[in-house]
Amino acid sequence: RNLVADTNARLKERLGRITFRAWRRGFREADLVLGPFAEQVGPTLETAELDALEAMMEAEDRDLYGWITGTEPVPTEHDGPVMAKLQTFMRDHVAAVVAEGAG
């Protein structure tokens, strides 16, 4: 196998682990944001962004959800591009889900 194939396989495996974990947080509200985020946005993230996402996912569910929804201040170590993407995704995702239910 060549280096690109090995790198792609490792990235796909890593994304699979992140997505699995994102859907099974144990806090349903967080699952419904993090799962779709990992599936839809995860493949577009750079390695450093994946590192940041994994670090965020170490936090307590309610804390993480509070940061994403803006009901709690985001700690400095997690206040960066990935949190901004999560917050934008949350707003867009919730708006889409509400719009689907509004018809």
Side-chain angles (χ1 to χ4, degrees), residues 26-65:
F27 183 64
R28 193 70 184 137
E29 291 86 346
D31 292 350
L32 293 174
V33 176
L34 291 167
F37 180 84
E39 288 177 349
Q40 296 171 33
V41 180
T44 70
L45 299 178
E46 302 290 330
T47 300
E49 292 175 315
L50 289 173
D51 294 343
L53 179 59
E54 286 179 315
M56 276 180 223
M57 290 176 57
E58 293 296 321
E60 291 295 321
D61 295 326
R62 293 187 188 280
D63 292 339
L64 180 55
Y65 187 72

